[in-house]
């Protein structure tokens, strides 16, 4: 509770400091230059799995480089081509994020975090009832996979659209993922807001490799063969410029997990969410 | 038309020589300015007045070229002057020469005050 109170006070102080006109977050970056920001604050990215640690978010980097064609943006490496002022297409690659839910560390089991988390009124922490629960500690390690794919971006006034098609190019799961995310930006006196909603489709192969339980798992565990999964997501992002380098920022992201996922004995919760509130400073 | 150019032309006057007395080569002295036009953003057109002045100790036939296109020619003159407002090239060769010899050989370039910007393709902080 003290953490929430402190956060509220920090927010108020941030609003007070942001009385002058500040640079806007217009979605553009300078070509051929690195961009690096660090955000300091509190937050958490949950894991929906039994015995997998939620990832605490204290210090978040934001690093990107956009050349004339190629770019690197927070783990996504790609080459992009502007088709028109409103559309661009890119070839992209990334580390598949699915393994992130299988972290076995326990640093997030910090009492203050759990208290803060459980005191949020809109989030239920009740575990899903499952016929049999299987801990991530009991199953074989899930692979680190590298994805390649195509990305289509579109911009229309305050609207953005992003479509991705990914496939496993590392031969780890032979699966695919397709996503479409639409966002709306709002520039107000209370800062810059972005509300976005998307849908993620994950193929049966991908689901089987990460959330299935096949015959190569220890024999005492149940078996589970998932089908493809459809996962809707909503996100609200906010930032308030305080000076040329400093911003206050926050985001909340909620993803619904469908029955292909929640029927897995590994899965405890029918959602995955991330939240963060803090300050960011842009170094360059 | 005025509005078209209002946001584009930022001039940096960098004369190569204050008077036609220098630099001199084979009895001919010249000046050309500016050599640089600064646009407000990369890719935007830049307009500026280019002025070329030359003088020679003897009467001479000369032509002034920009990107190999003749801007002006003089026959048996000891001095000449040319000026005009131009849409500045991104990069082009400016030369003053006769049939045998090149007296002035410089490059006009356009630079921008701001680096080119492009759309960000991944939402910030979305990896978390």
């Amino acid at each position: 509770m003290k953490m929430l109170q402190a956060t509220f006070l920090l927010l108020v102080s941030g609003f007070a400091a942001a009385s002058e006109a500040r640079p806007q977050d217009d979605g553009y970056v300078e070509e051929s230059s690195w961009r690096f920001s660090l955000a300091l604050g509190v937050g958490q990215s949950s894991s929906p799995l039994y015995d997998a640690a939620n990832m605490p978010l204290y210090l978040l980097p934001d690093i990107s480089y956009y050349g004339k064609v190629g770019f690197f943006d927070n783990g996504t490496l790609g080459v992009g081509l502007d088709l028109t002022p409103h559309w661009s297409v890119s070839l992209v690659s990334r580390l598949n994020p699915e393994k992130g839910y299988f972290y076995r560390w326990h640093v997030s089991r910090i009492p203050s975090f759990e208290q803060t988390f459980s005191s949020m009124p809109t989030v239920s922490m009740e575990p899903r009832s499952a016929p049999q629960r299987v801990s991530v500690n009991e199953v074989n390690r899930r692979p680190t996979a590298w994805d390649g794919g195509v990305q289509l971006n579109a911009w229309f006034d305050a609207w953005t659209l992003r479509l991705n098609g990914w496939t496993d190019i590392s031969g780890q799961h032979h699966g695919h993922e397709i996503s479409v995310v639409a966002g709306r930006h709002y520039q107000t006196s209370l800062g810059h807001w972005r509300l976005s909603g998307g849908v993620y489709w994950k193929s049966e192969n991908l689901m089987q490799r990460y959330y299935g339980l096949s015959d190569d798992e220890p024999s005492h565990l149940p078996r589970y063969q998932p089908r493809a999964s459809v996962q809707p997501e909503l996100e609200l992002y906010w930032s308030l410029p305080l000076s040329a380098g400093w911003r206050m920022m926050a985001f909340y992201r909620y993803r619904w997990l469908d029955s292909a996922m929640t029927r897995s004995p590994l899965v405890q919760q029918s959602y995955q969410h991330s939240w963060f509130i803090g300050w960011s400073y842009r170094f360059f | 038309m005025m509005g078209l150019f209002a946001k584009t032309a930022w001039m940096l006057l960098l004369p190569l020589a204050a008077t036609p007395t220098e630099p001199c080569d084979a009895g001919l002295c010249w000046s050309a300015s500016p050599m640089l036009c600064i646009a407000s953003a990369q890719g935007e057109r830049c307009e500026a007045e280019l002025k070329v002045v030359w003088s020679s100790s003897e009467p001479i036939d000369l032509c002034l070229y920009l990107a190999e296109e003749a801007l002006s020619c003089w026959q048996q003159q000891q001095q000449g002057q040319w000026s005009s407002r131009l849409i500045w090239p991104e990069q082009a060769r400016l030369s003053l020469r006769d049939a045998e010899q090149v007296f002035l050989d410089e490059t006009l370039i356009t630079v921008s005050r701001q680096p080119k910007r492009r759309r960000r393709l991944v939402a910030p902080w979305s990896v978390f």
Side-chain angles (χ1 to χ4, degrees), chain A residues 26-29 31 60 62 66-67 73-74 151 153 253 274, chain B residues 42 115-128:
Chain A
D26 62 0
Y28 283 84
V29 290
E31 192 174 281
L60 310 185
D62 176 41
Y66 282 79
D73 196 326
N74 290 306
Q151 177 168 312
N153 289 81
R253 188 182 308 121
S274 300
Chain B
Q42 202 168 57
K116 191 174 180 182
R117 302 199 314 154
R118 59 178 288 193
R119 302 260 198 186
R120 192 166 184 180
L121 302 175
V122 180
W125 315 106
S126 60
V127 73
F128 302 99

mmCIF file of all heavy atoms in Angstrom, chain A residues 26-29 31 60 62 66-67 73-74 151 153 253 274, chain B residues 42 115-128:
data_model
loop_
_atom_site.group_PDB
_atom_site.id
_atom_site.type_symbol
_atom_site.label_atom_id
_atom_site.label_comp_id
_atom_site.label_asym_id
_atom_site.label_seq_id
_atom_site.Cartn_x
_atom_site.Cartn_y
_atom_site.Cartn_z
ATOM 1 N N ASP A 26 5.680 11.805 -31.186
ATOM 2 C CA ASP A 26 4.955 11.792 -32.454
ATOM 3 C C ASP A 26 5.177 10.517 -33.256
ATOM 4 O O ASP A 26 4.737 10.417 -34.397
ATOM 5 C CB ASP A 26 5.319 13.018 -33.294
ATOM 6 C CG ASP A 26 6.801 13.048 -33.663
ATOM 7 O OD1 ASP A 26 7.529 12.127 -33.258
ATOM 8 O OD2 ASP A 26 7.210 13.983 -34.352
ATOM 9 N N GLY A 27 5.893 9.543 -32.703
ATOM 10 C CA GLY A 27 6.047 8.268 -33.389
ATOM 11 C C GLY A 27 7.133 8.247 -34.444
ATOM 12 O O GLY A 27 7.262 7.272 -35.172
ATOM 13 N N TYR A 28 7.921 9.318 -34.521
ATOM 14 C CA TYR A 28 9.030 9.370 -35.482
ATOM 15 C C TYR A 28 10.355 9.229 -34.735
ATOM 16 O O TYR A 28 10.468 9.610 -33.569
ATOM 17 C CB TYR A 28 9.048 10.697 -36.245
ATOM 18 C CG TYR A 28 8.021 10.789 -37.338
ATOM 19 C CD1 TYR A 28 6.717 11.163 -37.066
ATOM 20 C CD2 TYR A 28 8.364 10.502 -38.656
ATOM 21 C CE1 TYR A 28 5.767 11.244 -38.074
ATOM 22 C CE2 TYR A 28 7.434 10.587 -39.669
ATOM 23 C CZ TYR A 28 6.145 10.962 -39.379
ATOM 24 O OH TYR A 28 5.224 11.046 -40.385
ATOM 25 N N VAL A 29 11.361 8.713 -35.439
ATOM 26 C CA VAL A 29 12.712 8.661 -34.890
ATOM 27 C C VAL A 29 13.667 9.236 -35.930
ATOM 28 O O VAL A 29 13.367 9.239 -37.126
ATOM 29 C CB VAL A 29 13.141 7.216 -34.541
ATOM 30 C CG1 VAL A 29 12.380 6.694 -33.346
ATOM 31 C CG2 VAL A 29 12.963 6.285 -35.731
ATOM 32 N N GLU A 31 16.656 9.307 -38.378
ATOM 33 C CA GLU A 31 17.293 8.255 -39.159
ATOM 34 C C GLU A 31 18.789 8.217 -38.868
ATOM 35 O O GLU A 31 19.415 9.250 -38.649
ATOM 36 C CB GLU A 31 17.053 8.529 -40.645
ATOM 37 C CG GLU A 31 17.407 7.368 -41.540
ATOM 38 C CD GLU A 31 17.002 7.647 -42.969
ATOM 39 O OE1 GLU A 31 15.818 7.509 -43.287
ATOM 40 O OE2 GLU A 31 17.877 8.020 -43.762
ATOM 41 N N LEU A 60 13.615 -0.413 -17.082
ATOM 42 C CA LEU A 60 13.304 -0.887 -18.430
ATOM 43 C C LEU A 60 14.109 -0.105 -19.465
ATOM 44 O O LEU A 60 14.037 1.124 -19.501
ATOM 45 C CB LEU A 60 11.819 -0.702 -18.743
ATOM 46 C CG LEU A 60 10.802 -1.209 -17.722
ATOM 47 C CD1 LEU A 60 9.388 -1.037 -18.260
ATOM 48 C CD2 LEU A 60 11.067 -2.666 -17.413
ATOM 49 N N ASP A 62 14.885 1.064 -23.364
ATOM 50 C CA ASP A 62 14.214 1.238 -24.663
ATOM 51 C C ASP A 62 15.312 1.660 -25.632
ATOM 52 O O ASP A 62 15.814 2.787 -25.550
ATOM 53 C CB ASP A 62 13.129 2.323 -24.552
ATOM 54 C CG ASP A 62 12.485 2.600 -25.899
ATOM 55 O OD1 ASP A 62 12.238 1.643 -26.646
ATOM 56 O OD2 ASP A 62 12.216 3.790 -26.204
ATOM 57 N N TYR A 66 17.375 3.149 -36.240
ATOM 58 C CA TYR A 66 16.729 3.092 -37.548
ATOM 59 C C TYR A 66 17.664 3.685 -38.587
ATOM 60 O O TYR A 66 17.991 4.873 -38.526
ATOM 61 C CB TYR A 66 15.400 3.859 -37.534
ATOM 62 C CG TYR A 66 14.282 3.086 -36.877
ATOM 63 C CD1 TYR A 66 14.177 3.028 -35.495
ATOM 64 C CD2 TYR A 66 13.349 2.394 -37.633
ATOM 65 C CE1 TYR A 66 13.163 2.299 -34.875
ATOM 66 C CE2 TYR A 66 12.336 1.669 -37.031
ATOM 67 C CZ TYR A 66 12.252 1.620 -35.664
ATOM 68 O OH TYR A 66 11.251 0.890 -35.066
ATOM 69 N N GLY A 67 18.124 2.847 -39.503
ATOM 70 C CA GLY A 67 18.917 3.332 -40.621
ATOM 71 C C GLY A 67 17.995 3.680 -41.782
ATOM 72 O O GLY A 67 16.792 3.812 -41.614
ATOM 73 N N ASP A 73 14.915 -2.533 -33.004
ATOM 74 C CA ASP A 73 14.034 -1.859 -32.048
ATOM 75 C C ASP A 73 13.659 -2.838 -30.945
ATOM 76 O O ASP A 73 12.800 -3.697 -31.116
ATOM 77 C CB ASP A 73 12.773 -1.349 -32.762
ATOM 78 C CG ASP A 73 12.027 -0.318 -31.917
ATOM 79 O OD1 ASP A 73 12.038 -0.458 -30.681
ATOM 80 O OD2 ASP A 73 11.441 0.614 -32.496
ATOM 81 N N ASN A 74 14.346 -2.720 -29.826
ATOM 82 C CA ASN A 74 14.026 -3.528 -28.644
ATOM 83 C C ASN A 74 13.907 -5.014 -28.966
ATOM 84 O O ASN A 74 12.912 -5.659 -28.618
ATOM 85 C CB ASN A 74 12.747 -3.013 -27.990
ATOM 86 C CG ASN A 74 12.957 -1.668 -27.327
ATOM 87 O OD1 ASN A 74 13.849 -1.502 -26.509
ATOM 88 N ND2 ASN A 74 12.153 -0.685 -27.718
ATOM 89 N N GLN A 151 6.303 -7.892 -41.464
ATOM 90 C CA GLN A 151 5.515 -6.929 -40.683
ATOM 91 C C GLN A 151 4.990 -5.850 -41.612
ATOM 92 O O GLN A 151 5.714 -5.322 -42.452
ATOM 93 C CB GLN A 151 6.387 -6.304 -39.587
ATOM 94 C CG GLN A 151 5.681 -5.243 -38.762
ATOM 95 C CD GLN A 151 6.475 -4.874 -37.520
ATOM 96 O OE1 GLN A 151 6.934 -5.740 -36.786
ATOM 97 N NE2 GLN A 151 6.642 -3.582 -37.279
ATOM 98 N N ASN A 153 3.076 -2.179 -41.447
ATOM 99 C CA ASN A 153 2.641 -1.072 -40.590
ATOM 100 C C ASN A 153 1.819 -0.096 -41.409
ATOM 101 O O ASN A 153 2.108 0.134 -42.592
ATOM 102 C CB ASN A 153 3.843 -0.319 -40.024
ATOM 103 C CG ASN A 153 4.592 -1.110 -38.973
ATOM 104 O OD1 ASN A 153 5.394 -1.968 -39.277
ATOM 105 N ND2 ASN A 153 4.302 -0.822 -37.716
ATOM 106 N N ARG A 253 -1.177 -3.793 -19.774
ATOM 107 C CA ARG A 253 -1.479 -4.672 -20.907
ATOM 108 C C ARG A 253 -2.124 -5.938 -20.368
ATOM 109 O O ARG A 253 -1.641 -6.518 -19.380
ATOM 110 C CB ARG A 253 -0.185 -5.004 -21.652
ATOM 111 C CG ARG A 253 -0.392 -5.750 -22.960
ATOM 112 C CD ARG A 253 0.940 -6.082 -23.619
ATOM 113 N NE ARG A 253 1.787 -4.905 -23.746
ATOM 114 C CZ ARG A 253 2.986 -4.783 -23.212
ATOM 115 N NH1 ARG A 253 3.511 -5.763 -22.507
ATOM 116 N NH2 ARG A 253 3.690 -3.683 -23.365
ATOM 117 N N SER A 274 0.800 -7.162 -17.888
ATOM 118 C CA SER A 274 2.004 -6.414 -17.519
ATOM 119 C C SER A 274 1.572 -5.008 -17.150
ATOM 120 O O SER A 274 0.649 -4.455 -17.763
ATOM 121 C CB SER A 274 2.984 -6.314 -18.691
ATOM 122 O OG SER A 274 3.398 -7.580 -19.119
ATOM 123 N N GLN B 42 15.723 17.397 -44.321
ATOM 124 C CA GLN B 42 16.303 16.648 -45.424
ATOM 125 C C GLN B 42 15.225 16.311 -46.466
ATOM 126 O O GLN B 42 14.095 15.966 -46.123
ATOM 127 C CB GLN B 42 16.918 15.357 -44.899
ATOM 128 C CG GLN B 42 17.952 14.796 -45.815
ATOM 129 C CD GLN B 42 18.739 13.686 -45.155
ATOM 130 O OE1 GLN B 42 18.182 12.719 -44.708
ATOM 131 N NE2 GLN B 42 20.050 13.840 -45.089
ATOM 132 N N PRO B 115 18.165 16.065 -39.099
ATOM 133 C CA PRO B 115 18.335 14.763 -39.739
ATOM 134 C C PRO B 115 16.995 14.241 -40.233
ATOM 135 O O PRO B 115 15.935 14.614 -39.724
ATOM 136 C CB PRO B 115 18.871 13.886 -38.610
ATOM 137 C CG PRO B 115 18.473 14.573 -37.356
ATOM 138 C CD PRO B 115 18.401 16.033 -37.666
ATOM 139 N N LYS B 116 17.053 13.383 -41.207
ATOM 140 C CA LYS B 116 15.831 12.795 -41.741
ATOM 141 C C LYS B 116 15.188 11.914 -40.668
ATOM 142 O O LYS B 116 15.872 11.258 -39.900
ATOM 143 C CB LYS B 116 16.170 11.963 -42.974
ATOM 144 C CG LYS B 116 14.952 11.540 -43.747
ATOM 145 C CD LYS B 116 15.347 10.847 -45.030
ATOM 146 C CE LYS B 116 14.103 10.426 -45.798
ATOM 147 N NZ LYS B 116 14.436 9.704 -47.016
ATOM 148 N N ARG B 117 13.889 11.928 -40.652
ATOM 149 C CA ARG B 117 13.196 11.122 -39.651
ATOM 150 C C ARG B 117 12.361 10.061 -40.343
ATOM 151 O O ARG B 117 11.967 10.211 -41.485
ATOM 152 C CB ARG B 117 12.288 12.018 -38.801
ATOM 153 C CG ARG B 117 13.053 13.132 -38.114
ATOM 154 C CD ARG B 117 12.312 13.718 -36.954
ATOM 155 N NE ARG B 117 10.925 14.014 -37.228
ATOM 156 C CZ ARG B 117 9.979 14.063 -36.289
ATOM 157 N NH1 ARG B 117 10.275 13.810 -35.049
ATOM 158 N NH2 ARG B 117 8.741 14.361 -36.602
ATOM 159 N N ARG B 118 12.129 8.965 -39.643
ATOM 160 C CA ARG B 118 11.254 7.941 -40.195
ATOM 161 C C ARG B 118 10.355 7.395 -39.093
ATOM 162 O O ARG B 118 10.607 7.603 -37.909
ATOM 163 C CB ARG B 118 12.053 6.831 -40.876
ATOM 164 C CG ARG B 118 13.029 6.106 -39.997
ATOM 165 C CD ARG B 118 13.750 4.985 -40.740
ATOM 166 N NE ARG B 118 12.892 3.860 -40.996
ATOM 167 C CZ ARG B 118 13.327 2.656 -41.396
ATOM 168 N NH1 ARG B 118 14.623 2.480 -41.595
ATOM 169 N NH2 ARG B 118 12.508 1.662 -41.601
ATOM 170 N N ARG B 119 9.331 6.729 -39.526
ATOM 171 C CA ARG B 119 8.360 6.192 -38.572
ATOM 172 C C ARG B 119 8.979 5.080 -37.734
ATOM 173 O O ARG B 119 9.720 4.251 -38.250
ATOM 174 C CB ARG B 119 7.184 5.599 -39.331
ATOM 175 C CG ARG B 119 6.487 6.560 -40.233
ATOM 176 C CD ARG B 119 5.259 7.079 -39.605
ATOM 177 N NE ARG B 119 4.379 7.667 -40.598
ATOM 178 C CZ ARG B 119 3.268 8.301 -40.278
ATOM 179 N NH1 ARG B 119 2.910 8.423 -39.021
ATOM 180 N NH2 ARG B 119 2.509 8.812 -41.215
ATOM 181 N N ARG B 120 8.617 5.063 -36.482
ATOM 182 C CA ARG B 120 9.028 3.951 -35.634
ATOM 183 C C ARG B 120 8.071 2.790 -35.882
ATOM 184 O O ARG B 120 6.848 2.973 -35.906
ATOM 185 C CB ARG B 120 8.998 4.382 -34.173
ATOM 186 C CG ARG B 120 9.675 3.396 -33.279
ATOM 187 C CD ARG B 120 9.948 3.938 -31.893
ATOM 188 N NE ARG B 120 10.693 2.949 -31.147
ATOM 189 C CZ ARG B 120 11.084 3.100 -29.902
ATOM 190 N NH1 ARG B 120 10.826 4.227 -29.261
ATOM 191 N NH2 ARG B 120 11.743 2.142 -29.271
ATOM 192 N N LEU B 121 8.635 1.584 -36.032
ATOM 193 C CA LEU B 121 7.825 0.440 -36.456
ATOM 194 C C LEU B 121 7.406 -0.465 -35.309
ATOM 195 O O LEU B 121 6.579 -1.350 -35.480
ATOM 196 C CB LEU B 121 8.596 -0.388 -37.498
ATOM 197 C CG LEU B 121 9.019 0.398 -38.751
ATOM 198 C CD1 LEU B 121 9.882 -0.464 -39.659
ATOM 199 C CD2 LEU B 121 7.793 0.874 -39.510
ATOM 200 N N VAL B 122 8.016 -0.258 -34.161
ATOM 201 C CA VAL B 122 7.681 -1.063 -32.977
ATOM 202 C C VAL B 122 7.305 -0.098 -31.864
ATOM 203 O O VAL B 122 7.983 0.905 -31.658
ATOM 204 C CB VAL B 122 8.883 -1.934 -32.547
ATOM 205 C CG1 VAL B 122 8.544 -2.762 -31.329
ATOM 206 C CG2 VAL B 122 9.321 -2.846 -33.694
ATOM 207 N N ALA B 123 6.223 -0.391 -31.162
ATOM 208 C CA ALA B 123 5.783 0.502 -30.096
ATOM 209 C C ALA B 123 6.797 0.481 -28.956
ATOM 210 O O ALA B 123 7.276 -0.589 -28.568
ATOM 211 C CB ALA B 123 4.420 0.078 -29.582
ATOM 212 N N PRO B 124 7.174 1.666 -28.400
ATOM 213 C CA PRO B 124 8.137 1.682 -27.315
ATOM 214 C C PRO B 124 7.618 0.918 -26.095
ATOM 215 O O PRO B 124 6.432 0.938 -25.801
ATOM 216 C CB PRO B 124 8.293 3.182 -27.001
ATOM 217 C CG PRO B 124 7.104 3.836 -27.591
ATOM 218 C CD PRO B 124 6.684 2.995 -28.743
ATOM 219 N N TRP B 125 8.539 0.234 -25.435
ATOM 220 C CA TRP B 125 8.281 -0.517 -24.198
ATOM 221 C C TRP B 125 7.382 -1.735 -24.435
ATOM 222 O O TRP B 125 6.985 -2.401 -23.474
ATOM 223 C CB TRP B 125 7.634 0.361 -23.121
ATOM 224 C CG TRP B 125 8.277 1.707 -22.989
ATOM 225 C CD1 TRP B 125 7.749 2.888 -23.427
ATOM 226 C CD2 TRP B 125 9.545 2.032 -22.423
ATOM 227 N NE1 TRP B 125 8.611 3.926 -23.156
ATOM 228 C CE2 TRP B 125 9.727 3.424 -22.546
ATOM 229 C CE3 TRP B 125 10.557 1.282 -21.829
ATOM 230 C CZ2 TRP B 125 10.852 4.082 -22.102
ATOM 231 C CZ3 TRP B 125 11.682 1.938 -21.379
ATOM 232 C CH2 TRP B 125 11.825 3.322 -21.514
ATOM 233 N N SER B 126 7.053 -2.039 -25.674
ATOM 234 C CA SER B 126 6.097 -3.118 -25.916
ATOM 235 C C SER B 126 6.685 -4.498 -25.637
ATOM 236 O O SER B 126 5.948 -5.473 -25.511
ATOM 237 C CB SER B 126 5.572 -3.057 -27.350
ATOM 238 O OG SER B 126 6.644 -3.192 -28.261
ATOM 239 N N VAL B 127 8.014 -4.587 -25.566
ATOM 240 C CA VAL B 127 8.642 -5.885 -25.355
ATOM 241 C C VAL B 127 8.372 -6.405 -23.944
ATOM 242 O O VAL B 127 8.465 -7.596 -23.677
ATOM 243 C CB VAL B 127 10.152 -5.800 -25.652
ATOM 244 C CG1 VAL B 127 10.896 -5.043 -24.570
ATOM 245 C CG2 VAL B 127 10.735 -7.183 -25.846
ATOM 246 N N PHE B 128 8.003 -5.506 -23.030
ATOM 247 C CA PHE B 128 7.737 -5.938 -21.658
ATOM 248 C C PHE B 128 6.270 -6.272 -21.454
ATOM 249 O O PHE B 128 5.831 -6.496 -20.372
ATOM 250 C CB PHE B 128 8.175 -4.842 -20.671
ATOM 251 C CG PHE B 128 9.632 -4.509 -20.825
ATOM 252 C CD1 PHE B 128 10.020 -3.392 -21.553
ATOM 253 C CD2 PHE B 128 10.597 -5.336 -20.308
ATOM 254 C CE1 PHE B 128 11.357 -3.096 -21.734
ATOM 255 C CE2 PHE B 128 11.932 -5.034 -20.486
ATOM 256 C CZ PHE B 128 12.314 -3.921 -21.191
#
